[in-house]
């Protein structure tokens, strides 16, 4: 079974969030269960500058009335034989970020068409013909439609990592892709009617749709009416039989070759489940020294500064419990308004230390040196930070939602609180501190957390089953 996985990012080459982690770990895990996999992402300038891969070939196609050339660069994931390809186009694929909404739509429309042409390139040059295309999030969600329009009957799986990001923009994208309006009536369903919803189209046209935890799959199904994507979900159910129209939920895992305190070269002191007490104590000491904090119970937050992540709930809780004898380390970047609000508590409270930016090395050190990680997300499709933190013996204090609910056992290996409520978070912080004072209970909790298996092996088997079903149904 040959599967081509495609996305906007893939660690370690280019990562901005959990999607990047997944598009490294999943392609590495699938060959172990007998799936032949290759992945492909754009060749952004950032990747080019860092890696200087050799060009192995090129192909071309018509886009926006012009012939466009796409360069193919190849590599493998570190310590594996699993291929990853990078598609290069100075006109469309070099910039990883652009604020202009229509430019971004155009960039990913180009990438989607490039992928469909790349399928032919792989067959021709590598004698490797994909049985399934695995698309991820809106950036690759037009592939099912493009394949349909070109009458290429390759099954597609669309995995939704975050329903919030849908790729809404001008219908002009259709002209760029040479898709005639009457052939793609679906595309006019967006509101307002002159815009299209790329993720919505993926939901309607993909052979199968999945998301990254069973609870998030249920949450999506139960919040049809509140969701701008609901019309597409309904359309999907009408189009497919009841079971195939359903969104599957497969929990993500983490790559223990990357996230393992016993082997992690970036942390101050390595440790494992037998040496966690001294290991974490030493890591904490060095982390607090570097950040200029005193020795106290230490909570952290790591993540994108987006409304979803609930930093305002954490800020409220901090403002309400300024008498707590703890440290709070915040690492993140994103929305400038949220950053400003975080700077205010950073200035006001000497026990709060905020670091703005994307800093992989510091993230590892914070996971290793903190006692607790606070995850106040309003919703969380899966969330990887709780899984990573648990491997590093850092107990999650998290909202009871989505993948957090599916991966944390309240009172056993973490603490859950009612989402969206800073009062409940405050209580959860106090509960965490009480548990820490009870040495035996805390030690049992850390043991359970560190031993919990979030490896990709289980999820890889579930993806394989789903791929197989897609091929059998063909
Ligand atoms: P999301 O995908 O919604 O951003 P996840 O919890 O699934 O959230 O994954 C976040 C990933 O990004 C984790 O690997 C986390 O360590 C990493 N990360 C997030 N923000 C930062 C940051 N500012 N610096 C370094 N790593 C970060």
């Amino acid at each position: 079974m040959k599967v081509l996985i495609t996305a906007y990012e893939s660690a370690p080459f280019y990562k901005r969030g959990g999607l990047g982690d997944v598009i490294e770990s999943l392609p590495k895990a699938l060959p172990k269960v007998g799936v032949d996999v290759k992945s492909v992402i754009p060749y952004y300038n950032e990747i080019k500058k860092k890696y200087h891969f050799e060009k192995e070939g090129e192909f071309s196609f018509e886009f926006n009335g012009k012939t466009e050339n796409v360069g193919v660069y190849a590599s493998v994931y570190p310590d594996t034989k699993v291929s990853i390809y990078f598609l290069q186009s100075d006109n469309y694929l070099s910039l990883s970020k652009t604020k202009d909404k229509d430019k971004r739509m155009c960039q990913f429309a180009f990438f989607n068409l490039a992928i469909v042409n790349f399928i032919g390139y792989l067959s021709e040059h590598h004698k490797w013909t994909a049985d399934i295309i695995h698309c991820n999030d809106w950036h690759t969600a037009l592939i099912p439609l493009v394949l349909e329009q070109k009458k290429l009957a390759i099954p597609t799986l669309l995995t939704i990592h975050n329903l919030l990001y849908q790729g809404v923009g001008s219908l002009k994208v259709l002209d760029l892709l040479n898709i005639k309006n009457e052939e793609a009536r679906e595309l006019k369903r967006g509101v307002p009617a002159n815009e299209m919803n790329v993720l919505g189209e993926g939901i309607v046209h993909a052979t199968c749709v999945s998301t990254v935890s069973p609870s998030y799959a249920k949450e999506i199904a139960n919040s049809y009416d509140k969701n701008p994507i609901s019309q597409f979900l309904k359309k999907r159910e009408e189009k497919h039989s009841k079971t195939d129209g359903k969104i599957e939920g497969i929990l993500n895992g983490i790559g223990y070759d990357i996230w393992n305190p016993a082997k992690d070269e970036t942390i101050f002191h390595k440790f494992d489940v037998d040496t966690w007490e001294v290991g974490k104590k030493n890591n904490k000491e060095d982390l607090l020294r570097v950040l200029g904090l005193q020795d106290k119970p230490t909570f952290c937050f790591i993540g994108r500064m987006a409304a979803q992540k609930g930093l305002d709930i954490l800020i409220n809780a901090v403002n309400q419990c300024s008498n707590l004898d703890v440290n709070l380390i915040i690492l993140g970047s994103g929305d400038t308004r949220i950053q400003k609000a975080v700077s205010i508590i950073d200035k006001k409270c000497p026990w709060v230390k905020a670091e703005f930016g994307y800093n992989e090395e510091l993230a590892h050190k914070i996971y290793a040196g903190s006692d607790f990680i606070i995850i106040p997300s309003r919703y969380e499709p899966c969330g990887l930070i709780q899984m990573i933190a648990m491997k590093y013996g850092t107990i999650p204090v998290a909202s009871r939602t989505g993948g957090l609910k599916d991966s944390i056992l309240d009172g056993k290996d973490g603490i859950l609180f009612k989402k969206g409520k800073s009062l409940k978070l405050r209580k959860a912080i106090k509960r965490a501190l009480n548990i820490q004072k009870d040495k035996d209970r805390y030690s049992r909790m850390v043991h359970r957390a560190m031993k919990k298996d979030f490896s990709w092996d289980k999820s890889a088997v579930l993806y394989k089953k789903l791929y197989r079903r897609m091929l059998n149904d063909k």
Side-chain angles (χ1 to χ4, degrees):
M1 187 195 299
K2 295 184 173 59
V3 179
L4 180 66
I5 300 182
T6 180
Y8 157 76
E9 55 181 312
S10 176
F13 307 103
Y14 183 81
K15 168 184 160 186
R16 282 297 167 271
L19 176 62
D21 287 307
V22 174
I23 309 301
E24 175 178 25
S25 314
L26 182 61
K28 281 172 153 181
L30 284 169
K32 293 180 197 152
V33 295
V35 180
D36 183 359
V37 49
K38 296 186 188 296
S39 53
V40 55
I41 65 169
Y43 198 23
Y44 302 120
N45 284 339
E46 289 98 324
I47 306 177
K48 207 182 293 179
K49 272 189 207 137
K50 200 165 160 197
Y51 291 95
H52 309 289
F53 295 125
E54 290 221 354
K55 187 170 174 179
E56 71 145 57
E58 64 177 21
F59 58 89
S60 55
F61 56 88
E62 291 291 307
F63 185 76
N64 200 14
K66 283 196 203 128
T67 303
E68 293 288 341
N69 291 329
V70 172
V72 179
Y73 293 73
S75 184
V76 288
Y77 287 100
D79 308 319
T80 72
K81 290 182 180 153
V82 183
S83 300
I84 171 160
Y85 293 89
F86 303 88
L87 301 189
Q88 176 266 332
S89 153
D90 287 342
N91 292 340
Y92 294 103
L93 299 178
S94 57
L95 298 179
S96 61
K97 280 174 235 137
T98 156
K99 286 215 167 112
D100 182 326
K101 198 167 86 173
D102 284 340
K103 252 195 191 160
R104 206 165 150 74
M105 290 279 283
C106 178
Q107 176 184 11
F108 284 105
F110 181 87
F111 182 54
N112 285 225
L113 193 55
I115 296 295
V116 171
N117 284 276
F118 180 60
I119 297 167
Y121 172 94
L122 282 177
S123 296
E124 191 184 332
H125 297 271
H126 291 271
K127 306 284 168 263
W128 193 94
T129 305
D131 297 309
I132 285 174
I133 313 297
H134 186 164
C135 312
N136 292 276
D137 276 351
W138 77 267
H139 315 97
T140 50
L142 278 178
I143 293 172
L145 178 70
V146 177
L147 285 170
E148 214 173 276
Q149 299 272 315
K150 289 190 178 293
K151 310 227 176 322
L152 292 168
I154 307 174
T156 47
L157 170 63
L158 170 65
T159 299
I160 302 171
H161 296 258
N162 195 332
L163 199 58
L164 182 71
Y165 305 103
Q166 299 173 3
V168 177
S170 166
L171 267 174
K172 280 187 201 134
V173 170
L174 288 184
D175 301 332
L176 300 176
L177 290 171
N178 209 9
I179 292 177
K180 292 188 194 77
N181 272 2
E182 68 273 16
E183 283 174 343
R185 289 184 304 277
E186 314 290 354
L187 299 172
K188 291 184 179 160
R189 300 156 137 261
V191 178
N194 60 346
E195 292 204 314
M196 65 182 285
N197 184 316
V198 172
L199 188 73
E201 290 320 310
I203 288 174
V204 173
H205 293 280
T207 315
C208 260
V209 179
S210 73
T211 187
V212 287
S213 70
S215 284
Y216 192 57
K218 273 192 214 138
E219 284 166 21
I220 294 176
N222 293 338
S223 63
Y224 263 31
D225 298 339
K226 286 179 241 149
N227 208 316
I229 212 85
S230 60
Q231 52 185 332
F232 299 99
L233 291 163
K234 277 188 193 141
K235 175 75 189 167
R236 178 173 179 81
E237 281 195 350
E238 282 159 28
K239 202 174 159 188
H240 300 259
S241 74
K242 269 234 150 80
T243 43
D244 289 348
K246 193 177 109 207
I247 296 185
E248 298 279 333
I250 301 178
L251 194 70
N252 283 334
I254 53 169
Y256 286 127
D257 50 338
I258 303 147
W259 301 108
N260 182 355
K263 293 189 182 147
D264 192 335
E265 297 295 340
T266 52
I267 62 178
F268 292 110
H269 308 272
K270 294 180 190 144
F271 62 96
D272 61 21
V273 71
D274 298 319
T275 57
W276 73 269
E277 233 159 327
V278 59
K280 281 195 74 72
K281 184 175 170 287
N282 292 340
N283 275 295
K284 183 171 162 181
E285 238 170 60
D286 284 344
L287 176 69
L288 299 184
R289 181 180 40 76
V290 168
L291 296 178
L293 292 166
Q294 291 173 10
D295 183 19
K296 289 177 191 177
T298 297
F299 291 76
C300 69
F301 171 96
I302 299 173
R304 289 181 294 113
M305 294 195 169
Q308 172 204 345
K309 300 292 176 184
L311 264 164
D312 54 322
I313 299 160
L314 176 58
I315 292 169
N316 277 344
V318 167
N319 284 329
Q320 289 157 358
C321 52
S322 47
N323 57 346
L324 274 184
D325 204 17
V326 300
N327 294 315
L328 172 62
I329 302 166
I330 299 177
L331 169 64
S333 62
D335 190 314
T336 41
R337 270 172 310 178
I338 302 177
Q339 284 195 196
K340 257 190 202 150
V342 172
S343 324
I344 294 174
I345 55 163
D346 173 66
K347 287 207 184 83
K348 194 175 99 181
C349 313
W351 51 277
V352 176
K353 178 81 192 160
E355 294 286 334
F356 298 106
Y358 190 90
N359 188 333
E360 193 83 37
E361 190 180 330
L362 182 59
H364 282 243
K365 289 185 162 67
I366 296 175
Y367 285 122
S370 304
D371 301 313
F372 300 97
I373 186 161
I374 296 178
I375 314 175
S377 304
R378 290 207 151 71
Y379 70 93
E380 196 56 77
C382 176
L384 299 179
I385 53 171
Q386 77 280 14
M387 300 182 187
I388 300 169
M390 282 155 95
K391 182 68 187 171
Y392 285 72
T394 299
I395 301 298
V397 179
S399 309
R400 188 178 278 109
T401 185
L404 298 171
K405 194 163 83 179
D406 289 345
S407 55
I408 298 168
L409 274 178
D410 184 45
K412 301 274 183 215
D413 49 32
I415 292 169
L416 292 171
F417 64 92
K418 190 166 181 198
K419 68 173 176 183
K421 305 272 178 223
S422 47
L423 176 70
K424 299 285 178 192
L425 170 56
R426 247 167 58 201
K427 284 191 176 156
I429 291 174
K430 289 194 177 141
R431 201 176 145 209
L433 291 172
N434 283 335
I435 290 175
Q436 199 181 28
K437 278 183 203 141
D438 179 345
K439 280 219 156 55
D440 286 346
R441 184 163 180 213
Y442 181 58
S443 168
R444 276 199 305 276
M445 216 176 200
V446 173
H447 264 97
R448 276 197 211 105
M450 287 187 79
K451 281 185 167 165
K452 201 153 183 170
D453 183 10
F454 290 118
S455 65
W456 268 98
D457 306 352
K458 282 184 275 179
S459 316
V461 170
L462 296 176
Y463 273 108
K464 187 183 175 183
K465 269 193 192 156
L466 184 55
Y467 295 149
R468 181 157 288 151
R469 210 180 77 205
M470 288 165 62
L471 289 176
N472 292 342
D473 289 352
K474 209 166 112 175

